[in-house]
Amino acid sequence: MSRFTSGVTVVTTIDGEHVHGMTANGFLSVSLQPPLVLVSLAQSSRMAGLLRRTGRYGVSVLADDQQLHSQHFAGRPVAGLDPEFDRVDGIAYLRGSLGRIGCDVVEIHPAGDHLLFLGQVTHLAHSDRNPLVFFTGTYRALYADSGDELFTY
């Protein structure tokens, strides 16, 4: 599966006053009508329990300069990094992300050791930035303005 290039996202939910986030590349678009997306989370993850409780999540699609944020939310805290969030309609998004997708959980499906959280899209926004991608266990950046070449950093 490491040969499949994927975007990098941070999935967030708000529980009380606290924003909880987790890096996830198990994210995909499911349907345009109605607008549905899916995030796949380990059943044992804290985020899976939180999404069951809150019923809402945000997906922040990371830009090429947000690798440290990806590492931070993947359980490798980065000293001195203080992630900032923008809140829109009760959903938190990582500030500076290139895409923001807000969802209400409409279905949860078990799949092996994971749970698939199907979300109805309630908010969608983007900016024109270059994406952070993950390929063969390495962060990379896709630069559209340089002939669509893939560069490793």
Side-chain angles (χ1 to χ4, degrees), residues 9 11 24-31 34-41 51 57-59 101-111 114-121:
T9 68
V11 175
N25 62 359
F27 167 76
L28 62 104
S29 172
V30 174
S31 169
L36 299 171
V37 298
L38 179 144
V39 65
S40 176
L41 303 174
L51 291 191
Y57 63 89
V59 177
I101 304 150
C103 301
D104 289 334
V105 175
V106 292
E107 294 179 33
I108 302 171
H109 298 277
H114 277 59
L115 292 172
L116 308 178
F117 289 86
L118 189 64
Q120 171 108 27
V121 175

Side-chain angles (χ1 to χ4, degrees), residues 69-142:
H69 287 87
S70 173
Q71 293 170 327
H72 183 81
F73 288 105
R76 295 184 304 267
V78 176
L81 182 65
D82 186 20
E84 296 182 18
F85 298 93
D86 295 317
R87 295 180 188 220
V88 179
D89 297 327
I91 297 177
Y93 304 96
L94 190 60
R95 187 165 293 156
S97 58
L98 69 90
R100 297 173 175 199
I101 304 150
C103 301
D104 289 334
V105 175
V106 292
E107 294 179 33
I108 302 171
H109 298 277
D113 61 357
H114 277 59
L115 292 172
L116 308 178
F117 289 86
L118 189 64
Q120 171 108 27
V121 175
T122 59
H123 175 78
L124 190 60
H126 75 281
S127 64
D128 291 325
R129 302 192 52 213
N130 291 314
L132 180 65
V133 297
F134 201 69
F135 177 71
T136 63
T138 306
Y139 290 99
R140 303 187 184 221
L142 181 66

